[in-house]
Each structure stands twice: as C-alpha cells, then as structure tokens.
Amino acid sequence: MMFEKLKEINARPKPFEFYTAEELWTNEHTATQMLQYHLNDDIEASSRNSIFIKKSCEWIADNFDVKGKKVIDFGCGPGLYASRLAQT
C-alpha cells in the first residue's frame, strides 16, 4: 500500500508524463530553434538576458574563488554562464 501511494505521489502530471527533453537537442530543427531562443537577448524564454547573466557571474566571481579555476556548468543550455565565468 505504501509503495503504491509513493508511486502515485511521484507520478508525472499528464502533460509531462512522457520524457521528451532528449529530443530538444537531438532533433535538428528543434535544436536550432532552442539555440536561437537561448541566444536571443530580447526574450527570456530559455535563458536569462545578458545583463542578468553578467551580474550573476560577477556575484559568483566576487563571492567564490573561481579566478583561474575550472568551473563546470551543469545547467541546460549553451553554456552562457560558463563561458562568461571562463573570462574572469
């Protein structure tokens, strides 16, 4: 009974019941569209705008010892934070 309750609690809602994230970057058309949205500084549909990213990276650099260090970006997207942090 407990297992069934846990299974029910952790079930994905209907709109998200199927895993489709893999197709976002492996389908050529979809991947191109996603990249364009990530790199479009006028909308925040996929990534934050460049001002937000710049301020975030400055905060990270000011509060953590990252200068000259290797930093890994586990986020989803084209590495906008990692590439900016690499410049610090």
Side-chain angles (χ1 to χ4, degrees):
M1 176 100 174
M2 185 176 184
F3 177 74
E4 289 301 320
K5 186 66 175 171
L6 287 171
K7 189 174 165 183
E8 179 185 325
I9 290 170
N10 288 300
R12 293 179 182 191
K14 284 286 183 195
F16 305 103
E17 65 184 322
F18 300 106
Y19 181 77
T20 59
E22 183 177 323
E23 295 173 22
L24 293 175
W25 295 108
T26 58
N27 176 287
E28 186 177 341
H29 173 75
T30 307
T32 301
Q33 296 299 314
M34 285 290 292
L35 184 58
Q36 286 179 358
Y37 276 101
H38 274 289
L39 300 178
N40 186 338
D41 204 43
D42 295 328
I43 57 172
E44 293 186 352
S46 298
S47 294
R48 299 287 189 156
N49 65 55
S50 60
I51 294 169
F52 181 91
I53 294 170
K54 180 179 184 287
K55 287 181 179 181
S56 297
C57 291
E58 286 171 353
W59 182 87
I60 291 169
D62 289 344
N63 289 278
F64 300 96
D65 183 24
V66 295
K67 187 172 182 146
K69 304 270 175 75
K70 292 181 180 180
V71 177
I72 189 164
D73 179 356
F74 283 111
C76 174
L80 300 175
Y81 292 82
S83 58
R84 189 173 292 271
L85 283 169
Q87 298 170 7
T88 61

